[in-house]
């Protein structure tokens, strides 16, 4: 593209208006005000509005929010539902066993936590940030990291708008902008598109294990009054997943007759016939879950990957000119399925390091105070205590649960060993060696098909633009994925984006990519066995429009 980009300059640029990015923005402004300094802070967000791409559970630990905005209650934060009852269930085909509360490790209990709609909380955080003078630009996707000649990050370029399918400027073409900053904080959430590039370019994974992920699929239901109990939190493991597949479900009862129901499957699963979407649909039909949903109405649907590797999978957090925060780095505590408090805390720590650096007149260097502060923080202690959770669960549901229970109850998370994580794209076995999984047809009451589900995510992409799901080798989907793994992308994508169709004139099968349905979960970028699929940002403002998910 020939035309010059217009540019704008800030002290700190933040890519992504999730809990991490907005906490960083708020902390920057708070600290600048305390020091009597002017610091310009800009946040860009690829969703059409703040919160539009946020999908979580969510039961929130308020610890980091207490530190960020101690008067959050008075400021009207949407944390209205304290956890009142907490159940952990082992499901089997016919029933369920509840784990006695006394046997649960502390990290699995939810006393003092809140059931929230994370999208609503993030919208509120956005309002707090704007009130402090942060400039927030929804509808702008960070599409490219900008470096100077010495290799330091100097900002990002937002995506071009109005390109045709083959990447040429169309009639409504608008060149993206260069947003420049002394420091750029990347807060894109799990499997950030720019974060992945930064990890490769700056060698940030040299001293860490590969990241490992789960795919979380969630629906929001309005349920009959008799089935609803505001503040009830239910976590499950077991059925419908096989015991060698990591995962589990949740049902969180919000105010107003709403229940958030969801299911997570570890993306280290081995059987390519598995469909996380179908597992979720079956999960809802279990008597221990259907009792909440029957007679209710499904209001919303969505999915998002979860970074589950924990401490040993955290990359180096800083590089010249910037830092990774929140789930872009992977601060989620998988044992607790909680990441929003870690995202907020990491954003605050990076912001404090940036403020200190700016006060010293520095720019575009290493924010070393951030990883140092993380190592000294409660967040590090928390992640350290549960660091073996995911590797234990690799040993199967029963042995893994037992080992983790002993690790937490007897050793208090202080085991002298750290077990390793492995990359998820490496774990599929050839389809011919794995049992086929027959999933029941949707009943249209509790279980549904993919297309009617995607409809409820309000997803939209302009068709006239380059496909944002890039194949490095266009032949690999047939030559490798179909031949060896029976096209797993047609099952792991929760939005039905990938289909194998017969090419005309005896050309044989080909992969069709319905990119307009993509709900930005990032699973294909993670799980494709040869890492042939790269998710890049489509035009800003596109994708799902979630309301308080
Ligand atoms: C199904 C599910 C259940 C969960 N349950 C819980 C729970 O019960 N409790 C809990 O604490 N946590 C839970 N989590 C985890 C929690 O949601 C995350 O840890 C948290 O949202 C991470 O915050 P973040 O700010 O790092 O990233 P995100 O919340 O993912 O926010 C990232 C933001 O950046 C934007 N963005 C991404 N790329 C770009 C780009 N290139 N340009 C511009 N904008 C961009 C995105 O649109 C998004 O708005 C759950 C997650 C899932 C998926
Ligand atoms: S195409 Fe990829 S990122 Fe989009 S919904 Fe499907 S798996 Fe998720």
């Amino acid at each position: 593209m020939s035309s010059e980009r217009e540019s704008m300059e800030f002290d700190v640029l933040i890519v992504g208006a999730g809990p991490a990015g907005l906490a960083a923005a708020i902390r920057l402004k708070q600290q600048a005000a305390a020091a009597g300094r002017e610091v310009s802070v800009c946040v860009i967000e690829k969703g059409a509005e703040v919160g539009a791409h946020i999908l979580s559970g969510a039961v929130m630990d308020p610890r980091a929010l207490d530190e960020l905005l101690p008067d959050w209650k008075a400021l009207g934060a949407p944390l209205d539902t304290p956890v009142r009852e907490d159940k952990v269930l082992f499901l089997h085909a016919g029933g369920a066993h509840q784990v006695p509360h006394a046997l649960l490790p502390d990290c699995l209990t939810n006393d003092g936590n809140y059931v929230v709609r994370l999208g609503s909380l993030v919208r509120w955080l956005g309002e707090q940030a704007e009130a402090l003078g942060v400039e927030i630009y929804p509808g702008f996707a960070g599409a490219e990291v900008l470096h100077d000649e010495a290799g330091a990050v100097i900002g990002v370029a937002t995506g071009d708008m109005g390109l045709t399918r083959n990447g040429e400027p169309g009639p409504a073409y608008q060149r993206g902008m260069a947003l420049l900053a002394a420091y750029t904080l990347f807060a894109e959430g799990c499997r950030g598109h720019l974060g992945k590039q930064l990890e490769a370019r700056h060698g940030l994974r040299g001293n860490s294990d590969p990241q490992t992920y789960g795919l979380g699929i969630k629906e929001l239901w309005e349920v009959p009054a008799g089935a609803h109990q505001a503040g009830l939190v239910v976590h499950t493991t077991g059925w419908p997943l096989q015991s060698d597949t990591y995962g589990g479900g949740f049902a969180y009862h919000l105010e107003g007759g709403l229940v958030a129901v969801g299911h997570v499957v570890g993306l280290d699963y081995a059987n390519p016939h598995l469909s996380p979407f179908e597992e979720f649909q079956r999960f809802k039909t279990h008597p221990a879950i259907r009792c909440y949903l029957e007679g209710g109405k499904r209001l919303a649907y969505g999915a998002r990957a979860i970074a589950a590797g924990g401490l040993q999978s955290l990359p180096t957090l800083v590089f010249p000119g910037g830092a990774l925060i929140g789930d872009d780095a992977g601060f989620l505590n998988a044992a607790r399925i909680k990441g929003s408090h870690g995202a907020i805390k990491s954003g605050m720590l990076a912001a404090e390091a940036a403020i200190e650096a700016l006060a010293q007149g520095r720019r575009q260097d290493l924010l070393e105070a951030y990883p140092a502060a993380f190592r000294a923080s409660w967040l590090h202690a928390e992640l350290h205590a549960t660091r073996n959770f995911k590797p234990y669960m690799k040993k199967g549901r029963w042995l893994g649960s037992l080992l983790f229970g002993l690790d937490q109850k007897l050793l208090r998370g202080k085991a002298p060993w750290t077990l390793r994580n492995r990359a998820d794209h490496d774990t599929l076995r050839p389809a011919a060696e794995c049992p086929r999984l027959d999933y029941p047809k949707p009943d249209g009451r509790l279980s549904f098909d993919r297309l009617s589900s995607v409809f409820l995510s309000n997803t939209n992409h302009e068709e006239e633009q380059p496909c944002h799901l890039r194949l490095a080798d266009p032949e690999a989907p047939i030559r490798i994925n179909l031949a060896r793994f029976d096209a797993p992308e047609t099952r792991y994508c929760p939005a039905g984006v990938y289909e194998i169709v017969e090419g005309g004139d005896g050309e044989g099968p080909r992969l069709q990519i319905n990119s307009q349905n993509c709900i930005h979960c990032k699973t294909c970028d993670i799980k494709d066995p040869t890492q042939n699929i790269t998710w890049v940002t489509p035009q800003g403002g596109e994708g799902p429009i979630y309301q308080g998910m």
Side-chain angles (χ1 to χ4, degrees):
M1 250 42 63
S2 53
S3 62
E4 275 293 300
R5 289 185 172 114
E6 282 183 37
S7 67
M8 284 168 78
E9 193 150 0
F10 305 91
D11 291 313
V12 182
L13 171 67
I14 298 168
V15 182
L22 292 169
I26 290 170
R27 194 55 155 189
L28 282 159
K29 283 292 189 183
Q30 287 172 337
Q31 298 239 309
R37 295 190 43 174
E38 262 305 310
V39 168
S40 57
V41 181
C42 170
V43 182
I44 55 168
E45 166 53 50
K46 69 178 163 64
E49 52 195 53
V50 171
H53 287 184
I54 297 294
L55 182 132
S56 191
V59 175
M60 186 176 180
D61 176 345
R63 184 171 189 178
L65 188 63
D66 286 340
E67 292 179 4
L68 180 69
L69 293 164
D71 52 349
W72 55 261
K73 270 195 186 132
L75 291 167
L79 273 72
D80 309 315
T81 317
V83 175
R84 297 191 180 98
E85 191 183 342
D86 201 1
K87 293 186 190 174
V88 176
L89 304 177
F90 274 86
L91 302 187
H92 53 87
H97 294 293
Q98 183 171 347
V99 184
H101 214 260
L103 289 185
L104 287 176
D106 291 347
C107 67
L108 295 191
T109 61
N110 282 298
D111 302 334
N113 295 335
Y114 290 81
V115 188
V116 301
R117 299 174 73 172
L118 194 65
S120 308
L121 180 71
V122 159
R123 197 162 348 126
W124 174 84
L125 282 173
E127 288 161 14
Q128 307 310 305
E130 280 181 328
L132 293 168
V134 175
E135 292 175 57
I136 305 183
Y137 297 113
F140 285 86
E144 185 187 334
V145 182
L146 302 175
H147 288 89
D148 67 10
E149 280 168 12
V153 171
I154 56 170
V156 305
T158 63
D160 295 344
M161 306 288 280
L163 290 172
T164 62
R165 264 169 222 246
N166 52 17
E168 301 296 323
Y173 175 69
Q174 259 188 307
R175 184 89 160 117
M177 291 192 66
L179 302 175
L180 307 173
Y183 295 101
T184 307
L185 304 180
F186 292 83
E188 302 163 286
C190 174
R191 193 71 166 196
H193 147 63
L194 301 179
K196 184 177 151 188
Q197 292 174 21
L198 288 161
E199 286 180 1
R201 169 144 185 176
H202 296 276
L204 305 180
R205 289 222 151 262
N207 296 319
S208 63
D209 288 0
Q211 186 55 275
T212 170
Y213 301 87
L215 170 61
I217 308 183
K218 172 183 165 183
E219 293 173 353
L220 189 66
W221 282 66
E222 190 172 36
V223 303
H228 184 255
Q229 190 186 325
L232 172 64
V233 164
V234 180
H235 286 112
T236 75
T237 183
W239 193 90
L241 295 175
Q242 309 278 324
S243 71
D244 60 353
T245 306
Y246 165 73
F250 61 84
Y252 300 152
H253 292 234
L254 291 139
E255 299 296 329
L258 298 178
V259 174
V261 59
H263 194 253
V264 179
V265 172
L267 287 177
D268 53 359
Y269 67 83
N271 183 344
H273 299 300
L274 186 143
S275 162
F277 176 85
E278 300 294 351
E279 297 291 342
F280 173 48
Q281 298 308 316
R282 284 172 77 194
F283 164 72
K284 286 181 290 171
T285 65
H286 191 279
I289 299 300
R290 70 185 306 151
C291 60
Y292 303 126
L293 306 179
E294 234 151 15
K297 184 173 178 225
R298 186 173 72 141
L299 304 178
Y301 168 87
R304 183 78 172 95
I306 297 175
L311 196 64
Q312 56 273 51
S313 291
L314 275 179
T316 301
L317 300 174
V318 291
F319 41 83
L324 297 173
I325 60 177
D327 283 355
D328 220 347
F331 284 102
L332 182 132
N333 183 338
R336 303 179 71 198
I337 349 169
K338 287 186 183 57
S340 51
H341 66 302
I344 290 175
K345 180 67 177 174
S346 64
M348 291 168 66
L349 296 174
E352 287 160 13
I355 281 287
E356 185 186 303
L358 290 168
Q360 293 165 356
R362 290 161 42 198
R363 54 188 285 114
Q364 291 161 0
D365 61 0
L366 278 180
L367 290 173
E368 273 161 346
Y370 163 42
F374 164 61
R375 283 191 295 275
S377 71
W378 56 257
L379 179 57
H380 185 278
E382 179 187 320
L383 294 179
H384 189 265
T386 55
R387 70 197 180 285
N388 286 322
F389 172 75
K390 199 66 210 292
Y392 284 141
M393 296 316 286
K394 265 311 276 175
K395 299 184 188 300
R397 180 181 312 141
W398 302 112
L399 183 59
S401 302
L402 179 69
L403 291 173
F404 183 65
L406 293 174
D407 177 305
Q408 296 295 297
K409 283 284 189 191
L410 296 182
L411 303 174
R412 315 298 298 171
K414 295 197 175 93
W417 55 81
T418 297
L419 304 174
R420 313 272 42 124
N421 286 318
R422 193 177 146 193
D424 297 331
H425 66 266
D426 258 354
T427 59
L428 282 184
R429 286 176 35 220
E433 293 173 14
C434 299
R436 284 201 165 267
L437 301 168
D438 287 322
Y439 294 110
K441 283 207 172 350
D443 62 18
R445 292 183 306 115
L446 291 173
S447 57
F448 303 92
D449 65 14
R450 250 175 264 227
L451 286 185
S452 66
S453 302
V454 178
F455 179 75
L456 293 180
S457 68
N458 300 311
T459 294
N460 181 45
H461 292 90
E462 169 65 56
E463 288 197 30
E464 191 52 40
Q465 65 176 305
C467 180
H468 73 277
L469 300 151
R470 305 265 163 91
L471 301 181
D473 172 1
E475 310 299 327
I478 302 303
R479 198 183 69 246
I480 301 171
N481 290 10
L482 180 62
R484 198 167 153 74
F485 302 111
D486 196 23
E489 60 274 46
T490 61
R491 287 178 292 280
Y492 63 59
C493 171
V497 168
Y498 298 102
E499 281 182 277
I500 300 290
V501 295
E502 278 304 313
D505 300 332
E507 278 170 21
R510 67 178 174 82
L511 182 71
Q512 176 168 300
I513 304 181
N514 307 309
S515 55
Q516 70 280 5
N517 285 354
C518 174
I519 52 177
H520 297 199
C521 76
K522 310 283 180 77
T523 301
C524 51
D525 193 284
I526 296 164
K527 188 63 178 169
D528 183 71
T530 59
Q531 292 289 274
N532 188 46
I533 303 176
T534 298
W535 187 101
V536 303
T537 47
Q539 294 189 148
E542 299 186 348
I545 303 189
Y546 296 136
Q547 297 292 334
M549 285 285 269

